[in-house]
Coordinates of all heavy atoms in Angstrom, one line a residue:
S1 N 0.8 -1.1 -0.1 CA 0.0 -0.1 0.0 C 0.8 1.2 0.1 O 1.9 1.2 0.7 CB -1.0 -0.1 1.2 OG -0.2 -0.1 2.5
P2 N 0.4 2.3 -0.7 CA 1.4 3.4 -0.8 C 1.5 4.2 0.6 O 0.5 4.2 1.4 CB 0.5 4.4 -1.7 CG -0.9 3.9 -1.7 CD -0.8 2.5 -1.5
R3 N 2.5 4.5 0.9 CA 2.8 5.1 2.1 C 2.3 6.5 2.2 O 2.3 7.2 1.4 CB 4.3 5.2 2.5 CG 5.0 3.7 2.8 CD 6.5 4.0 3.1 NE 7.1 2.8 3.3 CZ 8.3 2.6 3.7 NH1 9.1 3.7 3.8 NH2 8.9 1.3 3.8
R4 N 1.6 6.8 3.3 CA 1.1 8.3 3.5 C 2.2 9.2 3.8 O 3.3 9.0 4.6 CB 0.2 8.3 4.7 CG -0.5 9.6 4.9 CD -1.4 9.6 6.1 NE -2.5 8.6 5.8 CZ -3.5 8.4 6.7 NH1 -3.4 9.1 7.9 NH2 -4.4 7.6 6.5
Q5 N 2.3 10.2 2.9 CA 3.4 11.2 3.0 C 3.2 12.0 4.1 O 2.2 12.5 4.6 CB 3.4 12.0 1.7 CG 3.7 11.2 0.5 CD 3.7 12.2 -0.8 OE1 3.4 13.3 -0.6 NE2 4.2 11.6 -2.0
K6 N 4.3 12.1 4.9 CA 4.2 12.9 6.1 C 4.2 14.4 5.7 O 5.0 14.8 4.9 CB 5.4 12.6 7.1 CG 5.3 11.2 7.6 CD 6.6 11.0 8.6 CE 6.5 9.4 9.0 NZ 7.7 9.2 10.1
T7 N 3.4 15.1 6.4 CA 3.4 16.7 6.1 C 4.4 17.3 7.0 O 4.5 17.1 8.2 CB 2.1 17.1 6.5 OG1 1.7 16.9 7.9 CG2 1.0 16.6 5.6
T8 N 5.4 17.7 6.3 CA 6.5 18.4 7.0 C 6.2 19.8 7.4 O 5.5 20.6 6.5 CB 7.8 18.4 6.1 OG1 7.5 19.1 4.9 CG2 8.3 16.9 5.9
Y9 N 6.6 20.2 8.5 CA 6.4 21.6 9.0 C 7.2 22.7 8.1 O 8.4 22.5 8.1 CB 6.7 21.8 10.4 CG 6.6 23.1 10.9 CD1 5.4 23.8 11.2 CD2 7.8 23.8 11.3 CE1 5.4 25.1 11.6 CE2 7.9 25.0 11.7 CZ 6.5 25.7 12.0 OH 6.6 27.0 12.4
Q10 N 6.6 23.7 7.7 CA 7.3 24.6 6.9 C 7.2 25.9 7.6 O 6.1 26.5 8.0 CB 6.7 24.8 5.4 CG 6.9 23.6 4.6 CD 6.2 23.7 3.3 OE1 5.7 24.8 2.8 NE2 6.6 22.8 2.4
P11 N 8.3 26.5 8.1 CA 8.2 27.7 8.9 C 7.8 28.9 8.0 O 7.9 28.9 6.9 CB 9.6 27.8 9.4 CG 10.4 27.1 8.5 CD 9.6 25.9 8.0
F12 N 7.3 29.9 8.7 CA 6.7 31.1 8.0 C 7.9 31.8 7.4 O 8.9 32.1 8.1 CB 5.9 32.0 8.9 CG 5.3 33.2 8.3 CD1 4.4 33.2 7.4 CD2 5.9 34.4 8.6 CE1 4.0 34.3 6.9 CE2 5.6 35.6 8.1 CZ 4.6 35.6 7.2
N13 N 7.8 32.0 6.1 CA 8.9 32.7 5.3 C 8.5 34.1 5.1 O 7.6 34.5 4.4 CB 9.3 32.0 4.1 CG 10.5 32.6 3.4 OD1 10.9 33.7 3.5 ND2 11.2 31.7 2.9
K14 N 9.1 35.2 5.8 CA 8.6 36.5 5.6 C 9.0 37.1 4.2 O 8.1 37.9 3.8 CB 9.4 37.4 6.7 CG 9.1 36.9 8.1 CD 9.9 37.9 9.0 CE 9.7 37.3 10.5 NZ 10.3 36.0 10.7
E15 N 10.0 36.8 3.6 CA 10.4 37.1 2.2 C 9.2 36.7 1.3 O 8.9 37.5 0.4 CB 11.7 36.7 1.9 CG 12.9 37.4 2.7 CD 14.2 37.1 2.2 OE1 14.3 36.3 1.3 OE2 15.2 37.6 2.7
K16 N 8.8 35.4 1.4 CA 7.9 34.9 0.5 C 6.5 35.7 0.8 O 5.7 35.8 -0.2 CB 7.6 33.5 0.8 CG 8.7 32.6 0.1 CD 8.4 31.1 0.2 CE 9.5 30.3 -0.3 NZ 9.2 28.8 -0.2
F17 N 6.2 36.0 2.0 CA 4.9 36.7 2.3 C 4.9 38.2 1.7 O 3.9 38.6 1.0 CB 4.8 36.9 3.9 CG 3.6 37.8 4.2 CD1 2.3 37.2 4.2 CD2 3.8 39.0 4.5 CE1 1.1 38.0 4.5 CE2 2.7 39.8 5.0 CZ 1.5 39.3 4.9
V18 N 6.1 38.8 1.8 CA 6.2 40.1 1.1 C 6.1 40.1 -0.4 O 5.6 40.8 -1.1 CB 7.6 40.8 1.6 CG1 7.8 42.1 0.8 CG2 7.6 41.0 3.1
N19 N 6.9 39.0 -0.8 CA 6.8 38.9 -2.4 C 5.4 38.5 -2.8 O 5.1 38.9 -4.1 CB 7.8 37.7 -2.8 CG 7.8 37.5 -4.2 OD1 8.4 38.2 -5.0 ND2 7.3 36.3 -4.7
A20 N 4.7 37.8 -2.1 CA 3.2 37.5 -2.5 C 2.2 38.5 -2.4 O 1.2 38.4 -3.2 CB 2.9 36.2 -1.8
N21 N 2.3 39.3 -1.4 CA 1.1 40.2 -1.1 C 1.4 41.7 -1.4 O 0.5 42.4 -1.2 CB 0.9 40.1 0.4 CG 0.3 38.7 0.7 OD1 -0.9 38.4 0.5 ND2 1.1 37.8 1.2
F22 N 2.6 42.1 -1.8 CA 2.9 43.5 -2.1 C 3.2 43.5 -3.5 O 3.5 42.6 -4.3 CB 4.0 44.0 -1.2 CG 3.7 44.1 0.2 CD1 4.7 43.8 1.1 CD2 2.4 44.1 0.7 CE1 4.5 43.9 2.5 CE2 2.1 44.2 2.1 CZ 3.2 44.0 3.0
R23 N 3.2 44.9 -4.0 CA 3.6 45.3 -5.3 C 4.9 46.1 -5.2 O 5.2 46.7 -4.3 CB 2.5 46.0 -6.1 CG 1.2 45.1 -6.3 CD 0.3 45.8 -7.1 NE -0.9 45.0 -7.4 CZ -1.9 44.8 -6.7 NH1 -2.1 45.3 -5.4 NH2 -3.0 44.0 -7.1
F24 N 5.7 46.1 -6.4 CA 7.0 46.7 -6.3 C 7.3 47.7 -7.5 O 6.9 47.2 -8.6 CB 8.0 45.5 -6.2 CG 7.8 44.5 -5.3 CD1 7.2 43.3 -5.6 CD2 8.3 44.7 -4.0 CE1 7.0 42.3 -4.6 CE2 7.9 43.7 -3.0 CZ 7.2 42.7 -3.3
V25 N 7.8 48.8 -7.2 CA 8.3 49.7 -8.3 C 9.7 49.4 -8.3 O 10.6 49.6 -7.3 CB 8.1 51.2 -7.9 CG1 8.4 52.0 -8.9 CG2 6.4 51.4 -7.7
V26 N 10.3 49.1 -9.4 CA 11.7 48.5 -9.7 C 12.5 49.4 -10.7 O 11.9 50.2 -11.4 CB 11.6 46.9 -10.1 CG1 11.0 46.2 -9.1 CG2 10.9 46.9 -11.4
K27 N 13.6 49.2 -10.6 CA 14.6 50.0 -11.5 C 14.4 49.3 -12.9 O 14.2 48.2 -13.1 CB 16.0 49.8 -11.0 CG 16.3 50.3 -9.7 CD 17.6 50.0 -9.3 CE 18.1 50.5 -7.9 NZ 19.4 50.2 -7.5
A28 N 14.5 50.3 -13.9 CA 14.3 49.9 -15.2 C 15.6 49.4 -15.9 O 15.5 48.9 -17.0 CB 13.9 51.2 -16.1
S29 N 16.7 49.5 -15.2 CA 18.0 48.9 -15.7 C 18.1 47.5 -15.6 O 19.2 47.1 -16.1 CB 19.1 49.8 -15.0 OG 18.9 49.7 -13.6
S30 N 17.2 46.9 -14.8 CA 17.4 45.4 -14.7 C 16.5 44.6 -15.7 O 15.5 45.1 -16.2 CB 17.2 45.0 -13.2 OG 17.9 45.7 -12.4
D31 N 16.7 43.2 -15.7 CA 16.0 42.3 -16.5 C 15.1 41.6 -15.6 O 15.5 41.0 -14.5 CB 16.9 41.4 -17.4 CG 16.1 40.5 -18.3 OD1 15.0 40.8 -18.5 OD2 16.7 39.5 -18.7
Y32 N 13.8 41.6 -15.9 CA 12.8 40.8 -15.0 C 12.1 39.7 -15.8 O 11.0 39.3 -15.3 CB 11.8 41.8 -14.5 CG 12.4 43.0 -13.7 CD1 12.7 44.2 -14.4 CD2 12.8 42.8 -12.4 CE1 13.3 45.3 -13.7 CE2 13.4 43.9 -11.7 CZ 13.8 45.1 -12.3 OH 14.4 46.2 -11.8
Q33 N 12.6 39.1 -16.8 CA 12.0 38.1 -17.6 C 11.8 37.0 -16.7 O 10.7 36.3 -16.9 CB 12.7 37.8 -18.8 CG 12.1 36.9 -19.8 CD 12.9 36.7 -21.1 OE1 13.9 37.3 -21.2 NE2 12.3 35.9 -21.9
I34 N 12.7 36.6 -15.9 CA 12.7 35.4 -15.2 C 11.6 35.6 -14.1 O 10.9 34.5 -13.8 CB 14.1 35.0 -14.5 CG1 14.0 33.7 -13.7 CG2 14.5 36.1 -13.6 CD1 15.4 33.2 -13.2
Y35 N 11.4 36.7 -13.5 CA 10.3 36.9 -12.6 C 8.9 36.9 -13.2 O 7.9 36.6 -12.5 CB 10.6 38.2 -11.9 CG 11.8 38.3 -11.1 CD1 12.8 39.2 -11.6 CD2 12.2 37.6 -10.0 CE1 14.2 39.2 -11.1 CE2 13.4 37.6 -9.4 CZ 14.4 38.4 -9.9 OH 15.7 38.5 -9.3
L36 N 8.9 37.3 -14.5 CA 7.6 37.3 -15.2 C 7.2 35.8 -15.5 O 6.0 35.4 -15.5 CB 7.7 38.0 -16.5 CG 7.9 39.5 -16.3 CD1 8.0 40.2 -17.7 CD2 6.6 40.2 -15.5

């Protein structure tokens, strides 16, 4: 029988929260294709 995968605890990542819930005015001199 397939083993039940254990749910690992993932700590709260503040940088991911900021990246997901805010908007950003960035410099025009950089390349953002990978972020798009």
Side-chain angles (χ1 to χ4, degrees):
S1 58
R3 294 184 178 179
R4 181 178 298 178
Q5 296 181 354
K6 296 182 179 180
T7 57
T8 57
Y9 171 74
Q10 296 181 355
F12 177 73
N13 192 324
K14 302 180 182 64
E15 293 185 358
K16 288 185 178 181
F17 175 82
V18 173
N19 181 74
N21 293 277
F22 296 151
R23 295 182 172 89
F24 307 97
V25 179
V26 296
K27 298 178 181 178
S29 56
S30 301
D31 185 13
Y32 303 98
Q33 185 174 0
I34 186 174
Y35 302 107
L36 294 176

